[in-house]
Short mmCIF file of all heavy atoms in Angstrom, two decimals:
data_model
loop_
_atom_site.label_atom_id
_atom_site.label_comp_id
_atom_site.label_asym_id
_atom_site.label_seq_id
_atom_site.Cartn_x
_atom_site.Cartn_y
_atom_site.Cartn_z
N MET W 239 -12.46 66.12 314.81
CA MET W 239 -13.25 67.27 315.10
C MET W 239 -13.00 67.74 316.52
O MET W 239 -13.78 68.45 317.10
CB MET W 239 -14.72 66.93 314.87
CG MET W 239 -15.62 68.08 315.17
SD MET W 239 -17.28 67.70 314.69
CE MET W 239 -18.08 68.85 315.74
N GLY W 240 -11.96 67.33 317.14
CA GLY W 240 -11.69 67.77 318.50
C GLY W 240 -12.16 66.74 319.51
O GLY W 240 -12.47 65.62 319.19
N ALA W 241 -12.23 67.15 320.78
CA ALA W 241 -12.62 66.24 321.85
C ALA W 241 -14.09 65.87 321.72
O ALA W 241 -14.92 66.68 321.35
CB ALA W 241 -12.37 66.91 323.20
N ARG W 242 -14.39 64.63 322.02
CA ARG W 242 -15.77 64.17 322.02
C ARG W 242 -16.18 63.88 323.45
O ARG W 242 -15.54 63.11 324.14
CB ARG W 242 -15.92 62.92 321.17
CG ARG W 242 -15.65 63.18 319.72
CD ARG W 242 -16.15 62.00 318.90
NE ARG W 242 -15.83 62.18 317.51
CZ ARG W 242 -16.63 62.77 316.64
NH1 ARG W 242 -17.77 63.24 317.02
NH2 ARG W 242 -16.27 62.90 315.39
N PRO W 243 -17.27 64.49 323.91
CA PRO W 243 -17.71 64.23 325.27
C PRO W 243 -18.16 62.79 325.44
O PRO W 243 -18.67 62.19 324.51
CB PRO W 243 -18.89 65.20 325.46
CG PRO W 243 -19.06 65.93 324.20
CD PRO W 243 -18.06 65.46 323.21
N LYS W 244 -17.97 62.25 326.61
CA LYS W 244 -18.39 60.89 326.91
C LYS W 244 -19.72 60.93 327.65
O LYS W 244 -20.03 61.85 328.37
CB LYS W 244 -17.33 60.21 327.78
CG LYS W 244 -16.02 60.01 327.07
CD LYS W 244 -15.03 59.30 327.97
CE LYS W 244 -13.69 59.03 327.39
NZ LYS W 244 -13.28 59.58 326.18
N GLY W 245 -20.52 59.90 327.46
CA GLY W 245 -21.79 59.80 328.17
C GLY W 245 -22.87 60.73 327.66
O GLY W 245 -23.78 61.08 328.39
N VAL W 246 -22.79 61.12 326.38
CA VAL W 246 -23.79 62.04 325.83
C VAL W 246 -24.99 61.23 325.35
O VAL W 246 -24.85 60.26 324.62
CB VAL W 246 -23.20 62.86 324.66
CG1 VAL W 246 -24.26 63.75 324.04
CG2 VAL W 246 -22.03 63.69 325.16
N VAL W 247 -26.19 61.65 325.77
CA VAL W 247 -27.42 60.99 325.36
C VAL W 247 -28.40 62.03 324.84
O VAL W 247 -28.31 63.21 325.17
CB VAL W 247 -28.06 60.21 326.53
CG1 VAL W 247 -27.16 59.09 327.00
CG2 VAL W 247 -28.40 61.14 327.68
N ASP W 248 -29.35 61.58 324.02
CA ASP W 248 -30.38 62.50 323.55
C ASP W 248 -31.50 62.59 324.59
O ASP W 248 -31.40 62.02 325.67
CB ASP W 248 -30.90 62.10 322.17
CG ASP W 248 -31.74 60.82 322.16
OD1 ASP W 248 -32.09 60.31 323.25
OD2 ASP W 248 -32.04 60.33 321.06
N GLN W 249 -32.58 63.33 324.26
CA GLN W 249 -33.63 63.57 325.23
C GLN W 249 -34.35 62.29 325.66
O GLN W 249 -35.00 62.26 326.69
CB GLN W 249 -34.64 64.61 324.71
CG GLN W 249 -35.48 64.13 323.54
CD GLN W 249 -34.81 64.32 322.19
OE1 GLN W 249 -33.61 64.58 322.12
NE2 GLN W 249 -35.55 64.18 321.12
N ARG W 250 -34.20 61.21 324.90
CA ARG W 250 -34.82 59.92 325.26
C ARG W 250 -33.87 59.05 326.07
O ARG W 250 -34.23 57.95 326.47
CB ARG W 250 -35.24 59.17 324.00
CG ARG W 250 -36.28 59.92 323.17
CD ARG W 250 -36.35 59.36 321.77
NE ARG W 250 -35.06 59.64 321.13
CZ ARG W 250 -34.62 59.04 320.05
NH1 ARG W 250 -35.33 58.12 319.45
NH2 ARG W 250 -33.45 59.36 319.53
N GLY W 251 -32.63 59.51 326.25
CA GLY W 251 -31.64 58.71 326.96
C GLY W 251 -30.84 57.79 326.06
O GLY W 251 -30.08 56.96 326.53
N VAL W 252 -31.00 57.93 324.74
CA VAL W 252 -30.27 57.10 323.79
C VAL W 252 -28.88 57.68 323.57
O VAL W 252 -28.75 58.87 323.28
CB VAL W 252 -31.04 57.03 322.44
CG1 VAL W 252 -30.25 56.25 321.40
CG2 VAL W 252 -32.42 56.44 322.64
N PRO W 253 -27.82 56.86 323.73
CA PRO W 253 -26.46 57.38 323.54
C PRO W 253 -26.25 57.92 322.13
O PRO W 253 -26.74 57.37 321.15
CB PRO W 253 -25.57 56.16 323.77
CG PRO W 253 -26.41 55.21 324.57
CD PRO W 253 -27.83 55.46 324.13
N LEU W 254 -25.54 59.04 322.05
CA LEU W 254 -25.20 59.65 320.76
C LEU W 254 -23.77 59.31 320.42
O LEU W 254 -22.89 59.34 321.27
CB LEU W 254 -25.35 61.17 320.82
CG LEU W 254 -26.76 61.70 321.02
CD1 LEU W 254 -26.73 63.22 321.14
CD2 LEU W 254 -27.67 61.29 319.87
N ASP W 255 -23.53 59.02 319.15
CA ASP W 255 -22.18 58.74 318.69
C ASP W 255 -21.95 59.59 317.45
O ASP W 255 -22.62 59.42 316.45
CB ASP W 255 -22.02 57.27 318.35
CG ASP W 255 -20.61 56.93 317.90
OD1 ASP W 255 -19.67 57.61 318.33
OD2 ASP W 255 -20.45 55.98 317.12
N GLY W 256 -21.05 60.54 317.54
CA GLY W 256 -20.78 61.40 316.41
C GLY W 256 -21.38 62.77 316.58
O GLY W 256 -21.74 63.19 317.67
N VAL W 257 -21.51 63.46 315.47
CA VAL W 257 -21.97 64.84 315.46
C VAL W 257 -23.49 64.87 315.46
O VAL W 257 -24.13 64.23 314.64
CB VAL W 257 -21.43 65.57 314.21
CG1 VAL W 257 -21.94 66.99 314.14
CG2 VAL W 257 -19.91 65.53 314.21
N GLY W 258 -24.08 65.65 316.38
CA GLY W 258 -25.53 65.79 316.44
C GLY W 258 -26.03 67.08 315.85
O GLY W 258 -27.16 67.17 315.42
N ALA W 259 -25.19 68.10 315.82
CA ALA W 259 -25.54 69.40 315.26
C ALA W 259 -24.24 70.17 315.03
O ALA W 259 -23.24 69.91 315.68
CB ALA W 259 -26.43 70.18 316.21
N THR W 260 -24.28 71.09 314.07
CA THR W 260 -23.11 71.92 313.79
C THR W 260 -23.54 73.37 313.61
O THR W 260 -24.72 73.65 313.39
CB THR W 260 -22.39 71.49 312.49
OG1 THR W 260 -23.25 71.72 311.37
CG2 THR W 260 -21.97 70.03 312.53
N ALA W 261 -22.57 74.26 313.68
CA ALA W 261 -22.80 75.66 313.32
C ALA W 261 -23.20 75.66 311.85
O ALA W 261 -22.77 74.79 311.11
CB ALA W 261 -21.53 76.47 313.53
N PRO W 262 -24.05 76.55 311.43
CA PRO W 262 -24.52 77.74 312.10
C PRO W 262 -25.75 77.54 312.98
O PRO W 262 -26.27 78.49 313.53
CB PRO W 262 -24.84 78.69 310.94
CG PRO W 262 -25.28 77.79 309.85
CD PRO W 262 -24.44 76.55 310.00
N ASP W 263 -26.26 76.30 313.13
CA ASP W 263 -27.37 76.10 314.06
C ASP W 263 -26.91 76.48 315.46
O ASP W 263 -25.79 76.14 315.86
CB ASP W 263 -27.83 74.65 314.04
CG ASP W 263 -28.54 74.25 312.76
OD1 ASP W 263 -29.04 75.16 312.07
OD2 ASP W 263 -28.59 73.06 312.45
N PRO W 264 -27.73 77.18 316.22
CA PRO W 264 -27.35 77.56 317.59
C PRO W 264 -27.20 76.32 318.46
O PRO W 264 -28.08 75.45 318.47
CB PRO W 264 -28.51 78.42 318.08
CG PRO W 264 -29.26 78.83 316.86
CD PRO W 264 -29.03 77.76 315.85
N ILE W 265 -26.09 76.22 319.17
CA ILE W 265 -25.85 75.12 320.11
C ILE W 265 -25.49 75.77 321.44
O ILE W 265 -24.49 76.48 321.54
CB ILE W 265 -24.71 74.21 319.62
CG1 ILE W 265 -25.04 73.66 318.22
CG2 ILE W 265 -24.46 73.08 320.61
CD1 ILE W 265 -23.87 73.00 317.53
N CYS W 266 -26.31 75.56 322.45
CA CYS W 266 -26.14 76.21 323.75
C CYS W 266 -25.81 75.17 324.80
O CYS W 266 -26.43 74.11 324.85
CB CYS W 266 -27.42 76.93 324.16
SG CYS W 266 -28.01 78.09 322.91
N VAL W 267 -24.84 75.46 325.66
CA VAL W 267 -24.47 74.59 326.76
C VAL W 267 -24.95 75.25 328.04
O VAL W 267 -24.58 76.38 328.35
CB VAL W 267 -22.94 74.35 326.80
CG1 VAL W 267 -22.57 73.42 327.92
CG2 VAL W 267 -22.46 73.81 325.46
N LEU W 268 -25.81 74.53 328.78
CA LEU W 268 -26.45 75.10 329.97
C LEU W 268 -26.09 74.31 331.22
O LEU W 268 -25.96 73.10 331.18
CB LEU W 268 -27.97 75.10 329.79
CG LEU W 268 -28.50 75.76 328.51
CD1 LEU W 268 -29.99 75.54 328.39
CD2 LEU W 268 -28.15 77.23 328.51
N ASP W 269 -25.98 75.00 332.32
CA ASP W 269 -25.67 74.41 333.62
C ASP W 269 -26.84 73.55 334.10
O ASP W 269 -27.96 74.02 334.19
CB ASP W 269 -25.38 75.53 334.62
CG ASP W 269 -25.02 75.03 336.00
OD1 ASP W 269 -24.99 73.81 336.23
OD2 ASP W 269 -24.75 75.88 336.86
N THR W 270 -26.58 72.27 334.41
CA THR W 270 -27.62 71.42 334.98
C THR W 270 -27.33 71.06 336.43
O THR W 270 -28.12 70.38 337.06
CB THR W 270 -27.80 70.11 334.18
OG1 THR W 270 -26.57 69.39 334.18
CG2 THR W 270 -28.22 70.40 332.75
N ASP W 271 -26.18 71.49 336.96
CA ASP W 271 -25.86 71.21 338.36
C ASP W 271 -26.62 72.12 339.31
O ASP W 271 -26.76 71.81 340.48
CB ASP W 271 -24.35 71.35 338.62
CG ASP W 271 -23.58 70.14 338.08
OD1 ASP W 271 -24.19 69.06 337.96
OD2 ASP W 271 -22.39 70.28 337.80
N THR W 272 -27.08 73.25 338.82
CA THR W 272 -27.91 74.14 339.62
C THR W 272 -29.23 74.30 338.86
O THR W 272 -29.38 73.82 337.75
CB THR W 272 -27.25 75.51 339.81
OG1 THR W 272 -27.17 76.16 338.54
CG2 THR W 272 -25.87 75.40 340.42
N ASP W 273 -30.16 74.97 339.43
CA ASP W 273 -31.44 75.17 338.76
C ASP W 273 -31.49 76.46 337.95
O ASP W 273 -32.57 76.88 337.54
CB ASP W 273 -32.57 75.19 339.81
CG ASP W 273 -32.76 73.83 340.45
OD1 ASP W 273 -32.53 72.81 339.77
OD2 ASP W 273 -33.14 73.79 341.63
N THR W 274 -30.33 77.06 337.68
CA THR W 274 -30.33 78.35 337.01
C THR W 274 -30.43 78.23 335.50
O THR W 274 -30.96 79.12 334.85
CB THR W 274 -29.05 79.13 337.34
OG1 THR W 274 -27.93 78.42 336.81
CG2 THR W 274 -28.89 79.34 338.84
N GLY W 275 -29.86 77.16 334.90
CA GLY W 275 -29.81 77.06 333.45
C GLY W 275 -28.87 78.07 332.84
O GLY W 275 -28.98 78.41 331.67
N ASP W 276 -27.91 78.57 333.63
CA ASP W 276 -26.95 79.56 333.14
C ASP W 276 -26.10 78.98 332.01
O ASP W 276 -25.81 77.79 331.99
CB ASP W 276 -26.02 80.01 334.26
CG ASP W 276 -26.71 80.88 335.29
OD1 ASP W 276 -27.76 81.47 334.96
OD2 ASP W 276 -26.20 80.97 336.42
N PRO W 277 -25.67 79.83 331.06
CA PRO W 277 -24.74 79.37 330.04
C PRO W 277 -23.42 78.91 330.69
O PRO W 277 -23.00 79.48 331.69
CB PRO W 277 -24.50 80.61 329.18
CG PRO W 277 -25.61 81.53 329.50
CD PRO W 277 -26.04 81.23 330.90
N VAL W 278 -22.79 77.91 330.09
CA VAL W 278 -21.54 77.37 330.62
C VAL W 278 -20.45 77.59 329.59
O VAL W 278 -20.62 77.25 328.42
CB VAL W 278 -21.68 75.86 330.93
CG1 VAL W 278 -20.35 75.28 331.37
CG2 VAL W 278 -22.74 75.64 331.99
N THR W 279 -19.33 78.15 330.02
CA THR W 279 -18.22 78.40 329.10
C THR W 279 -16.95 77.69 329.54
O THR W 279 -15.90 77.93 328.99
CB THR W 279 -17.94 79.91 329.00
OG1 THR W 279 -17.66 80.41 330.30
CG2 THR W 279 -19.13 80.64 328.42
N THR W 280 -17.04 76.82 330.54
CA THR W 280 -15.86 76.08 331.01
C THR W 280 -16.12 74.59 330.91
O THR W 280 -17.25 74.14 330.72
CB THR W 280 -15.54 76.43 332.47
OG1 THR W 280 -16.66 76.09 333.28
CG2 THR W 280 -15.23 77.90 332.64
N GLU W 281 -15.04 73.80 331.04
CA GLU W 281 -15.14 72.35 330.94
C GLU W 281 -15.24 71.72 332.32
O GLU W 281 -14.96 72.35 333.33
CB GLU W 281 -13.91 71.81 330.22
CG GLU W 281 -13.81 72.30 328.79
CD GLU W 281 -12.58 71.78 328.09
OE1 GLU W 281 -12.03 70.75 328.53
OE2 GLU W 281 -12.16 72.41 327.11
N GLY W 282 -15.61 70.45 332.36
CA GLY W 282 -15.60 69.69 333.59
C GLY W 282 -16.87 69.79 334.41
O GLY W 282 -16.90 69.35 335.55
N LEU W 283 -17.92 70.33 333.86
CA LEU W 283 -19.19 70.44 334.57
C LEU W 283 -20.23 69.55 333.91
O LEU W 283 -20.15 69.26 332.73
CB LEU W 283 -19.69 71.89 334.57
CG LEU W 283 -18.79 72.92 335.22
CD1 LEU W 283 -19.38 74.32 335.00
CD2 LEU W 283 -18.65 72.65 336.71
N ARG W 284 -21.21 69.15 334.68
CA ARG W 284 -22.34 68.43 334.10
C ARG W 284 -23.25 69.47 333.46
O ARG W 284 -23.67 70.43 334.11
CB ARG W 284 -23.08 67.68 335.19
CG ARG W 284 -24.19 66.85 334.67
CD ARG W 284 -24.87 66.10 335.77
NE ARG W 284 -26.03 65.45 335.20
CZ ARG W 284 -26.52 64.34 335.64
NH1 ARG W 284 -25.98 63.74 336.68
NH2 ARG W 284 -27.57 63.81 335.07
N VAL W 285 -23.54 69.29 332.17
CA VAL W 285 -24.28 70.30 331.43
C VAL W 285 -25.38 69.66 330.59
O VAL W 285 -25.37 68.46 330.33
CB VAL W 285 -23.35 71.11 330.50
CG1 VAL W 285 -22.29 71.85 331.28
CG2 VAL W 285 -22.73 70.23 329.44
N GLY W 286 -26.30 70.49 330.18
CA GLY W 286 -27.29 70.12 329.18
C GLY W 286 -26.98 70.89 327.91
O GLY W 286 -26.52 72.03 327.97
N VAL W 287 -27.21 70.28 326.76
CA VAL W 287 -26.94 70.94 325.49
C VAL W 287 -28.25 71.09 324.73
O VAL W 287 -29.01 70.14 324.60
CB VAL W 287 -25.92 70.14 324.64
CG1 VAL W 287 -25.70 70.81 323.30
CG2 VAL W 287 -24.62 69.97 325.40
N LEU W 288 -28.49 72.28 324.27
CA LEU W 288 -29.71 72.60 323.54
C LEU W 288 -29.31 73.08 322.15
O LEU W 288 -28.44 73.94 322.01
CB LEU W 288 -30.46 73.73 324.28
CG LEU W 288 -31.65 74.33 323.58
CD1 LEU W 288 -32.79 73.32 323.55
CD2 LEU W 288 -32.08 75.59 324.30
N ALA W 289 -29.89 72.48 321.13
CA ALA W 289 -29.63 72.92 319.75
C ALA W 289 -30.95 73.36 319.13
O ALA W 289 -32.02 72.93 319.55
CB ALA W 289 -29.01 71.80 318.94
N ALA W 290 -30.88 74.21 318.15
CA ALA W 290 -32.06 74.71 317.45
C ALA W 290 -31.73 74.87 315.98
O ALA W 290 -30.56 74.86 315.59
CB ALA W 290 -32.49 76.05 318.05
N THR W 291 -32.74 75.01 315.17
CA THR W 291 -32.55 75.21 313.74
C THR W 291 -32.28 76.68 313.47
O THR W 291 -32.98 77.55 313.98
CB THR W 291 -33.82 74.76 312.99
OG1 THR W 291 -34.08 73.40 313.32
CG2 THR W 291 -33.62 74.86 311.49
N CYS W 292 -31.28 76.95 312.64
CA CYS W 292 -30.94 78.34 312.30
C CYS W 292 -31.84 78.86 311.19
O CYS W 292 -32.55 78.10 310.53
CB CYS W 292 -29.48 78.44 311.89
SG CYS W 292 -29.09 77.63 310.33
N ASP W 293 -31.79 80.15 310.98
CA ASP W 293 -32.49 80.78 309.86
C ASP W 293 -31.93 80.19 308.56
O ASP W 293 -30.72 80.01 308.43
CB ASP W 293 -32.25 82.29 309.91
CG ASP W 293 -33.04 83.03 308.86
OD1 ASP W 293 -32.70 82.91 307.66
OD2 ASP W 293 -33.99 83.74 309.24
N PRO W 294 -32.78 79.86 307.61
CA PRO W 294 -32.31 79.24 306.35
C PRO W 294 -31.23 80.04 305.62
O PRO W 294 -30.44 79.47 304.87
CB PRO W 294 -33.57 79.14 305.49
CG PRO W 294 -34.70 79.18 306.46
CD PRO W 294 -34.23 79.99 307.64
N ARG W 295 -31.17 81.35 305.84
CA ARG W 295 -30.14 82.15 305.15
C ARG W 295 -28.73 81.74 305.58
O ARG W 295 -27.78 81.90 304.83
CB ARG W 295 -30.36 83.64 305.42
CG ARG W 295 -31.63 84.15 304.75
CD ARG W 295 -31.91 85.56 305.10
NE ARG W 295 -32.44 85.59 306.47
CZ ARG W 295 -32.99 86.65 307.04
NH1 ARG W 295 -33.06 87.79 306.39
NH2 ARG W 295 -33.45 86.59 308.26
N TRP W 296 -28.58 81.20 306.80
CA TRP W 296 -27.26 80.76 307.26
C TRP W 296 -26.81 79.48 306.56
O TRP W 296 -25.64 79.14 306.60
CB TRP W 296 -27.25 80.55 308.77
CG TRP W 296 -27.24 81.83 309.52
CD1 TRP W 296 -28.25 82.34 310.29
CD2 TRP W 296 -26.18 82.78 309.58
NE1 TRP W 296 -27.88 83.54 310.81
CE2 TRP W 296 -26.61 83.85 310.39
CE3 TRP W 296 -24.91 82.86 309.01
CZ2 TRP W 296 -25.82 84.95 310.66
CZ3 TRP W 296 -24.12 83.96 309.28
CH2 TRP W 296 -24.58 84.99 310.10
N THR W 297 -27.73 78.75 305.92
CA THR W 297 -27.35 77.50 305.26
C THR W 297 -27.03 77.68 303.79
O THR W 297 -26.73 76.72 303.10
CB THR W 297 -28.46 76.44 305.42
OG1 THR W 297 -29.65 76.90 304.77
CG2 THR W 297 -28.74 76.16 306.89
N THR W 298 -27.07 78.92 303.30
CA THR W 298 -26.65 79.19 301.93
C THR W 298 -25.12 79.09 301.87
O THR W 298 -24.45 79.14 302.91
CB THR W 298 -27.08 80.60 301.49
OG1 THR W 298 -26.39 81.57 302.30
CG2 THR W 298 -28.59 80.78 301.59
N PRO W 299 -24.54 78.97 300.69
CA PRO W 299 -23.07 78.92 300.62
C PRO W 299 -22.41 80.12 301.31
O PRO W 299 -21.41 79.97 302.01
CB PRO W 299 -22.79 78.90 299.12
CG PRO W 299 -23.99 78.21 298.53
CD PRO W 299 -25.15 78.71 299.37
N GLY W 300 -22.96 81.32 301.12
CA GLY W 300 -22.39 82.50 301.77
C GLY W 300 -22.53 82.46 303.28
O GLY W 300 -21.61 82.82 304.02
N GLY W 301 -23.69 82.02 303.77
CA GLY W 301 -23.91 81.92 305.21
C GLY W 301 -22.99 80.90 305.86
O GLY W 301 -22.42 81.14 306.92
N LEU W 302 -22.82 79.75 305.21
CA LEU W 302 -21.93 78.72 305.75
C LEU W 302 -20.48 79.19 305.74
O LEU W 302 -19.70 78.84 306.63
CB LEU W 302 -22.09 77.41 304.98
CG LEU W 302 -23.42 76.70 305.20
CD1 LEU W 302 -23.56 75.52 304.24
CD2 LEU W 302 -23.56 76.25 306.64
N ALA W 303 -20.11 79.99 304.74
CA ALA W 303 -18.73 80.53 304.70
C ALA W 303 -18.48 81.46 305.88
O ALA W 303 -17.37 81.52 306.41
CB ALA W 303 -18.49 81.27 303.38
N LEU W 304 -19.52 82.17 306.33
CA LEU W 304 -19.40 83.10 307.45
C LEU W 304 -19.51 82.44 308.82
O LEU W 304 -18.93 82.93 309.79
CB LEU W 304 -20.48 84.18 307.35
CG LEU W 304 -20.32 85.20 306.24
CD1 LEU W 304 -21.58 86.07 306.16
CD2 LEU W 304 -19.10 86.06 306.48
N ALA W 305 -20.28 81.35 308.93
CA ALA W 305 -20.55 80.80 310.26
C ALA W 305 -20.74 79.29 310.27
O ALA W 305 -21.26 78.75 311.24
CB ALA W 305 -21.80 81.47 310.85
N GLY W 306 -20.32 78.60 309.23
CA GLY W 306 -20.43 77.15 309.20
C GLY W 306 -19.32 76.48 309.99
O GLY W 306 -18.40 77.13 310.48
N PRO W 307 -19.36 75.16 310.11
CA PRO W 307 -18.34 74.46 310.90
C PRO W 307 -16.92 74.64 310.38
O PRO W 307 -15.97 74.71 311.17
CB PRO W 307 -18.77 72.99 310.85
CG PRO W 307 -19.78 72.90 309.77
CD PRO W 307 -20.36 74.25 309.57
N ARG W 308 -16.75 74.77 309.08
CA ARG W 308 -15.39 74.94 308.54
C ARG W 308 -14.80 76.30 308.92
O ARG W 308 -13.60 76.44 309.08
CB ARG W 308 -15.39 74.76 307.02
CG ARG W 308 -15.74 73.32 306.65
CD ARG W 308 -15.53 73.04 305.18
NE ARG W 308 -16.17 71.81 304.77
CZ ARG W 308 -15.76 70.59 305.10
NH1 ARG W 308 -14.69 70.43 305.84
NH2 ARG W 308 -16.41 69.53 304.69
N TYR W 309 -15.66 77.32 309.08
CA TYR W 309 -15.19 78.63 309.54
C TYR W 309 -14.51 78.50 310.90
O TYR W 309 -13.54 79.18 311.19
CB TYR W 309 -16.35 79.62 309.60
CG TYR W 309 -15.94 80.95 310.18
CD1 TYR W 309 -15.32 81.91 309.37
CD2 TYR W 309 -16.12 81.24 311.52
CE1 TYR W 309 -14.90 83.12 309.90
CE2 TYR W 309 -15.71 82.46 312.06
CZ TYR W 309 -15.11 83.39 311.24
OH TYR W 309 -14.69 84.59 311.78
N PHE W 310 -15.01 77.61 311.73
CA PHE W 310 -14.47 77.41 313.08
C PHE W 310 -13.36 76.36 313.12
O PHE W 310 -12.88 75.99 314.18
CB PHE W 310 -15.58 77.03 314.05
CG PHE W 310 -16.60 78.13 314.21
CD1 PHE W 310 -17.81 78.07 313.55
CD2 PHE W 310 -16.33 79.24 315.00
CE1 PHE W 310 -18.75 79.09 313.67
CE2 PHE W 310 -17.27 80.26 315.13
CZ PHE W 310 -18.47 80.18 314.47
N GLY W 311 -12.96 75.85 311.95
CA GLY W 311 -11.85 74.92 311.88
C GLY W 311 -12.23 73.45 311.95
O GLY W 311 -11.35 72.60 312.04
N TYR W 312 -13.53 73.13 311.88
CA TYR W 312 -13.96 71.73 311.91
C TYR W 312 -14.08 71.20 310.49
O TYR W 312 -14.67 71.84 309.63
CB TYR W 312 -15.30 71.60 312.63
CG TYR W 312 -15.23 72.00 314.07
CD1 TYR W 312 -15.87 73.15 314.53
CD2 TYR W 312 -14.51 71.25 314.99
CE1 TYR W 312 -15.80 73.52 315.86
CE2 TYR W 312 -14.43 71.62 316.31
CZ TYR W 312 -15.08 72.75 316.74
OH TYR W 312 -15.00 73.12 318.05
N ASP W 313 -13.52 70.02 310.25
CA ASP W 313 -13.52 69.43 308.92
C ASP W 313 -14.76 68.56 308.73
O ASP W 313 -14.68 67.35 308.52
CB ASP W 313 -12.25 68.61 308.71
CG ASP W 313 -12.10 68.16 307.26
OD1 ASP W 313 -12.68 68.80 306.37
OD2 ASP W 313 -11.41 67.14 307.04
N VAL W 314 -15.93 69.17 308.88
CA VAL W 314 -17.21 68.50 308.65
C VAL W 314 -18.14 69.44 307.90
O VAL W 314 -17.99 70.66 307.99
CB VAL W 314 -17.89 68.06 309.98
CG1 VAL W 314 -17.05 67.03 310.71
CG2 VAL W 314 -18.18 69.24 310.87
N ASP W 315 -19.07 68.86 307.17
CA ASP W 315 -20.09 69.65 306.51
C ASP W 315 -21.17 70.01 307.52
O ASP W 315 -21.32 69.35 308.55
CB ASP W 315 -20.73 68.87 305.35
CG ASP W 315 -19.74 68.64 304.22
OD1 ASP W 315 -18.91 69.52 303.97
OD2 ASP W 315 -19.83 67.57 303.57
N HIS W 316 -21.93 71.05 307.21
CA HIS W 316 -23.05 71.43 308.07
C HIS W 316 -24.04 70.28 308.14
O HIS W 316 -24.45 69.72 307.14
CB HIS W 316 -23.74 72.68 307.52
CG HIS W 316 -25.00 73.04 308.24
ND1 HIS W 316 -26.20 73.12 307.60
CD2 HIS W 316 -25.24 73.31 309.54
CE1 HIS W 316 -27.14 73.44 308.47
NE2 HIS W 316 -26.58 73.56 309.65
N LEU W 317 -24.40 69.88 309.35
CA LEU W 317 -25.41 68.86 309.59
C LEU W 317 -26.60 69.57 310.21
O LEU W 317 -26.57 69.93 311.38
CB LEU W 317 -24.88 67.79 310.55
CG LEU W 317 -25.89 66.74 310.99
CD1 LEU W 317 -26.31 65.89 309.80
CD2 LEU W 317 -25.29 65.88 312.07
N PRO W 318 -27.65 69.83 309.41
CA PRO W 318 -28.81 70.53 309.97
C PRO W 318 -29.35 69.79 311.18
O PRO W 318 -29.48 68.56 311.17
CB PRO W 318 -29.82 70.54 308.82
CG PRO W 318 -28.98 70.41 307.59
CD PRO W 318 -27.83 69.53 307.99
N PHE W 319 -29.67 70.52 312.22
CA PHE W 319 -30.07 69.95 313.50
C PHE W 319 -31.20 68.93 313.36
O PHE W 319 -31.13 67.84 313.89
CB PHE W 319 -30.46 71.04 314.48
CG PHE W 319 -31.07 70.53 315.75
CD1 PHE W 319 -30.32 69.72 316.59
CD2 PHE W 319 -32.36 70.84 316.09
CE1 PHE W 319 -30.85 69.23 317.75
CE2 PHE W 319 -32.91 70.35 317.26
CZ PHE W 319 -32.16 69.55 318.09
N LEU W 320 -32.24 69.25 312.66
CA LEU W 320 -33.38 68.34 312.56
C LEU W 320 -33.09 67.10 311.73
O LEU W 320 -33.82 66.14 311.79
CB LEU W 320 -34.60 69.06 312.01
CG LEU W 320 -35.19 70.12 312.94
CD1 LEU W 320 -36.37 70.82 312.27
CD2 LEU W 320 -35.63 69.49 314.26
N GLN W 321 -31.98 67.10 310.99
CA GLN W 321 -31.60 65.91 310.22
C GLN W 321 -30.58 65.07 310.96
O GLN W 321 -30.24 64.00 310.53
CB GLN W 321 -31.02 66.33 308.86
CG GLN W 321 -32.04 66.96 307.97
CD GLN W 321 -31.43 67.39 306.65
OE1 GLN W 321 -30.33 67.02 306.30
NE2 GLN W 321 -32.18 68.17 305.90
N GLY W 322 -30.04 65.58 312.10
CA GLY W 322 -29.00 64.89 312.85
C GLY W 322 -29.52 63.80 313.63
O GLY W 322 -29.71 62.78 313.81
#
């Protein structure tokens, strides 16, 4: 599934191994080196990752075909955020 970040932990500090969330659930990468919380689009920075549950229409077969992980080239099934 591509590069896996090292040192990733959940909100309790428990290390994560594997996929925690996939598209079409929103996954946002935010700057934690400053107090701005700005979106981050580059690598090599210390960041926070925020995921949320998508609208149920995105989890239908048609919705996943338009915005699921396979649409982006990842060979994984959709893992709903709250089940991850």
